Amino acid sequence: MPARPPLKLPFLDDVAPPLDRVDLVTVRLPFVAPFGTSVYTWTVKDALLLRLASGGVEAWGECVADPDPFYFHETTGTAVHIIKDFLLPLVEPGIKLSELGARFARVRGNGMAKATVENALLNLIATTRGLPLHALLGRPVARIPSGISIGLKETPAALVSAVESAVAKKYHRVKMKIKKGQDVEWVEAVRRRFPDLKLMADANGDYSLEDSRHLRRLDDFGLMMIEQPLSYSDIYQHSILQKELRTPVCLDESIHSPADAETAIALGACRVINIKQGRVGGLAEAIRIARIAADAGLDAWSGGMDETGIGRAVNIHLQTAEGFSLPGDTSETANYFAEDIAEPPVVLDADGFVPIPPGPGTGVRVLPERIARCAIAWDKVR
Ligand code: OSB
Ligand code: MG
């Protein structure tokens, strides 16, 4: 196969505008229902937001960190520290985004903090240029197919009922959370009710290699993939597990960077990658990982972190980029919040697609009065 031309990211030639005002705001939104995973059950969404203003234009970015380190080691607290003390000081007016990326690389890890600043800056640049964000990132498509992530439920029957609602909405694939003691029977119940459904399971790292015989039982149910069955920090053991499973392994927590994706591919640790732009350092890194996956013949898709309308819109625009070959975890706003802080809400069309919000930037309107009502911390940085 001829080598493909190097990935071009033209938006990296854009420059950071002068920032007239910078705010870090933490909002708290109640979830419509608790979101249960093998690691934790969240009942509220605490989202750290970064607001940038330049020449009368404002743009927001959302940090996907939780206040707790149960899914990921970064927290809203560490992100505030890294953003204020290390990243924002590097954002010099007139600096090219490619150069800013190189400066950010000196700060090790902290992908959630980096993505927050990158997302807000790109949103600001796109808004100022009068372009929708996806014009910088991807291809001109009008809508993206939507997947849904369903949290742990009390009983298999309750899970089947949640899946029935998702199928009625025409979601293009359904992800269910599993954990030890809440797996085979639950997958079997969904599969029995929906023999042809595009179904997958996410374990959030709950198993170990000793469970591989047990996990092999899931091979009977024709899952699209099993997401992060083993430890959040592991790649090697997944490569052993993948050889023992027919079901494709998808890595989420283990992939922090393009280099991690290359390691996973070289070891045969997965056949699919869940790319969370908000966790891997932002949109540029996410697109690089998607390209690496595509070049190796792997599928990739955009994950979610139960974002508010601000981060959800960014994930929607990202999915127009090359390499996002499967539906992402971008489900309807009503799954998460009765009232979001941005409008319009994400609503599926009749075929289970999410329309790309038109208009400059992310195309969503951030509602100041909602933000003021939900704010639990407000830091005027500059
Ligand atoms: O593992 O993909 C995950 C939500 C929070 C933390 C981790 C995960 C998730 C989801 C939900 O699965 C994705 C979404 O609907 O935004
Ligand atoms: Mg996951």
Side-chain angles (χ1 to χ4, degrees):
M1 223 169 45
R4 291 208 285 158
L7 178 64
K8 279 212 214 68
L9 297 172
F11 61 84
L12 294 182
D13 290 331
D14 278 287
V15 298
L19 302 177
D20 307 327
R21 180 169 168 163
V22 178
D23 295 88
L24 277 167
V25 185
T26 307
V27 291
R28 175 168 295 167
L29 282 72
F31 281 131
V32 290
F35 185 71
T37 72
S38 67
V39 293
Y40 193 66
T41 297
W42 288 275
T43 56
V44 296
K45 173 74 188 177
D46 278 11
L48 172 67
L49 308 173
L50 174 64
R51 180 183 177 275
L52 303 178
S54 174
V57 177
E58 71 158 30
W60 293 77
E62 174 170 349
C63 179
V64 302
D66 290 310
D68 55 77
F70 303 144
Y71 166 78
F72 196 64
H73 57 263
E74 287 183 80
T75 66
T76 44
T78 69
V80 167
H81 166 51
I82 296 293
I83 291 170
K84 270 176 71 169
D85 298 340
F86 293 98
L87 300 178
L88 283 174
L90 299 176
V91 185
E92 236 176 85
I95 189 176
K96 265 196 187 182
L97 295 192
S98 53
E99 170 61 18
L100 188 61
R103 288 187 179 185
F104 274 19
R106 283 194 60 214
V107 175
R108 294 186 174 180
N110 290 286
M112 290 180 173
K114 288 172 183 170
T116 310
V117 180
E118 190 238 34
N119 283 194
L121 270 176
L122 280 177
N123 190 5
L124 181 62
I125 289 167
T127 307
T128 305
R129 291 176 57 184
L131 294 171
L133 187 57
H134 70 85
L136 305 186
L137 308 174
R139 298 165 289 191
V141 300
R143 57 181 198 166
I144 49 140
S146 183
I148 186 171
S149 174
I150 297 177
L152 293 170
K153 297 284 181 239
E154 288 288 320
T155 61
L159 174 63
V160 168
S161 147
V163 174
E164 279 168 352
S165 311
V167 169
K169 291 262 181 197
K170 305 260 180 71
Y171 278 103
H172 287 247
R173 65 105 175 102
V174 171
K175 161 166 139 185
M176 55 179 283
K177 293 288 185 180
I178 56 170
K179 66 173 186 180
K180 280 185 178 167
Q182 207 165 315
D183 46 30
V184 176
E185 231 185 295
W186 304 65
V187 173
E188 191 177 21
V190 175
R191 189 42 99 207
R192 208 179 309 123
R193 174 75 180 78
F194 294 106
D196 302 318
L197 178 66
K198 287 197 170 143
L199 180 66
M200 57 172 292
D202 186 358
N204 288 107
D206 206 37
Y207 300 88
S208 64
L209 264 187
E210 280 145 48
D211 302 310
S212 58
R213 260 167 65 96
H214 178 72
L215 290 172
R216 245 192 337 249
R217 294 177 61 194
L218 294 175
D219 276 344
D220 293 343
F221 303 108
L223 298 179
M224 292 174 81
M225 67 195 89
I226 178 167
E227 184 173 333
Q228 199 73 32
L230 308 180
S231 166
Y232 67 93
S233 61
D234 169 77
I235 296 179
Y236 173 62
Q237 297 195 356
H238 280 96
S239 76
I240 298 174
L241 180 69
Q242 178 65 92
K243 289 176 186 65
E244 297 180 10
L245 294 183
R246 261 183 293 129
T247 307
V249 169
C250 170
L251 290 179
D252 168 5
E253 284 91 327
S254 301
I255 305 297
H256 307 259
S257 63
D260 285 341
E262 283 169 348
T263 303
I265 289 164
L267 290 175
C270 63
R271 296 193 201 129
V272 189
I273 299 178
N274 170 352
I275 305 173
K276 290 181 175 161
Q277 65 84 19
R279 190 167 62 63
V280 301
L283 294 157
E285 287 291 84
I287 293 171
R288 290 188 185 108
I289 294 172
R291 171 62 184 262
I292 289 166
D295 282 351
L298 270 67
D299 281 311
W301 50 277
S302 164
M305 289 290 294
D306 300 333
E307 289 92 343
T308 76
I310 294 173
R312 188 173 309 281
V314 173
N315 294 345
I316 291 168
H317 284 269
L318 171 64
Q319 290 172 61
T320 63
E322 193 201 351
F324 290 85
S325 55
L326 292 174
D329 276 342
T330 310
S331 66
E332 288 194 333
T333 301
N335 272 332
Y336 312 86
F337 311 114
E339 253 190 7
D340 204 341
I341 50 175
E343 273 184 354
V346 172
V347 178
L348 298 198
D349 69 16
D351 315 311
F353 287 80
V354 175
I356 315 270
T362 58
V364 298
R365 223 160 7 91
V366 177
L367 306 167
E369 66 286 355
R370 294 260 172 90
I371 301 248
R373 205 178 336 128
C374 301
I376 55 171
W378 198 303
D379 187 353
K380 185 171 181 307
V381 180
R382 210 187 290 170

